Amino acid sequence: GGGISGGGFESCVYAEGPGACNDNKFYGMSIEPPDTDISHVYVTGSKTNIKLHDVRLEATGKSLDRPIVIIDDSSYGNVMNGILGHTHVQADLNRNPGIDLMSQKSVSLDPAPVNQFWNGAFKGWDSVNRILPGWNVGQTNTDITILDSSEALFPDHNVMSLDYKNWGGAFKLQSDKTLLTPGHDFATFGVYARSSVQGSITAVMRYTSGSIISSASHSGSGKWEFIGMSALYDKDSPYFYFSIVGDVDLTAPTLTFGQSPATPGASLMSSSGARMSGTLTTGVAPCTPPSSGYYWTC
């Protein structure tokens, strides 16, 4: 708790890198000087972020074109919630989805939950030609089968079993298209995996620096574990895949852009369109022809 008021401040909360200056927490504060020279809250630096919980931000003397909070583009992962009384927040909210300050001047953002992996249900496996719609599965160092529906972890999602032959390096399971959303800097992806082999699968991606990074691997427990990660990705050369070096069953892979929890088992449609794989169920409905023209709607 506590409060900051009065005048003569450049900023009330000022966090600056380089160097680790992260996860600084403030609870139940009131930050309410009429004005500040820079902003009430200012954060900059790639390893710098703060958490303001149940904060009250007011700036009765600040002109409406000057932000009360400034998060430099180098900073990400900031968390802020509470009451925003005046002006607005200046930040890349896709890099800071934990900022939940809403006002008449600005709003927060949450990433769209649409799964970018087409055919996350593993439908349409052609074992003769070794083709799975939406996926690159051409490597021959793994035998692939689709298990009975009784093994399903999520409704209408197949379980794909991979028998690794232990030669030719890791089997890479990846999308058959380049996954990129320029509006987002983060990617969150993963897959449910079941294996009795420790280290049988990891999630792998190209980090924003160009280096290849990987998630924690499967423990070998024989149980379903979600193997995934969330990080800044390389927009110039995006690269996401699952590296498999042991026998493993897989289901419900998911990839969303933005820093938010994964949503396995959901392949949502949106008003911007969608691709489908699997059974399309249709029905019959009455419709009336248009009064003019030759287009029919129903």
Side-chain angles (χ1 to χ4, degrees):
I4 302 174
S5 61
F9 299 101
E10 287 191 348
S11 293
C12 299
V13 177
Y14 188 97
E16 180 180 11
C21 181
N22 58 338
D23 203 30
N24 300 281
K25 297 182 176 69
F26 303 86
Y27 295 92
M29 288 189 65
S30 296
I31 304 175
E32 51 187 7
D35 196 5
T36 45
D37 295 341
I38 301 175
S39 62
H40 282 32
V41 178
Y42 183 86
V43 184
T44 181
S46 60
K47 294 184 178 180
T48 304
N49 54 53
I50 65 173
K51 292 179 170 60
L52 297 177
H53 294 284
D54 296 324
V55 66
R56 187 174 85 238
L57 292 165
E58 296 186 42
T60 56
K62 189 178 287 291
S63 61
L64 296 180
D65 62 343
R66 297 178 58 228
I68 195 171
V69 174
I70 297 177
I71 308 296
D72 185 77
D73 286 347
S74 61
S75 175
Y76 57 88
N78 293 274
V79 175
M80 300 180 189
N81 55 72
I83 298 173
L84 179 63
H86 301 86
T87 79
H88 62 282
V89 174
Q90 178 181 302
D92 183 342
L93 295 174
N94 287 317
R95 291 168 66 97
N96 296 277
I99 295 180
D100 292 323
L101 296 172
M102 310 280 284
S103 77
Q104 296 177 343
K105 305 301 180 183
S106 62
V107 297
S108 56
L109 296 176
D110 284 329
V114 178
N115 188 359
Q116 300 295 321
F117 282 141
W118 179 44
N119 192 17
F122 292 147
K123 301 285 188 178
W125 168 239
D126 180 348
S127 59
V128 176
N129 297 303
R130 200 175 174 89
I131 295 173
L132 181 64
W135 297 91
N136 283 330
V137 291
Q139 289 175 260
T140 58
N141 60 345
T142 300
D143 289 332
I144 298 176
T145 56
I146 298 298
L147 300 184
D148 185 79
S149 60
S150 62
E151 298 281 349
L153 193 61
F154 295 97
D156 299 319
H157 281 66
N158 286 337
V159 174
M160 183 168 65
S161 182
L162 295 91
D163 181 9
Y164 181 66
K165 298 180 180 179
N166 202 30
W167 58 264
F171 177 82
K172 295 181 179 180
L173 178 65
Q174 63 188 106
S175 171
D176 66 358
K177 68 174 183 176
T178 299
L179 299 174
L180 171 66
T181 299
H184 286 289
D185 296 326
F186 276 93
T188 299
F189 78 110
V191 65
Y192 264 106
R194 180 177 60 187
S195 179
S196 298
V197 180
Q198 184 178 6
S200 57
I201 179 173
T202 54
V204 183
M205 65 177 286
R206 181 173 285 117
Y207 190 58
T208 184
S209 64
S211 60
I212 300 297
I213 60 175
S214 61
S215 70
S217 61
H218 198 285
S219 69
S221 65
K223 299 179 180 179
W224 287 108
E225 299 176 11
F226 192 76
I227 307 300
M229 62 193 305
S230 181
L232 295 165
Y233 74 100
D234 188 341
K235 293 183 181 180
D236 294 328
S237 185
Y239 189 37
F240 311 95
Y241 68 92
F242 299 105
S243 177
I244 296 167
V245 293
D247 297 348
V248 63
D249 298 334
L250 302 177
T251 194
T254 181
L255 186 150
T256 57
F257 286 103
Q259 192 178 36
S260 63
T263 54
S267 298
L268 307 177
M269 291 186 178
S270 74
S271 58
S272 61
R275 295 173 69 193
M276 297 181 63
S277 180
T279 303
L280 174 63
T281 302
T282 60
V284 178
C287 61
T288 303
S291 58
S292 62
Y294 57 91
Y295 292 103
W296 287 68
T297 60
C298 61

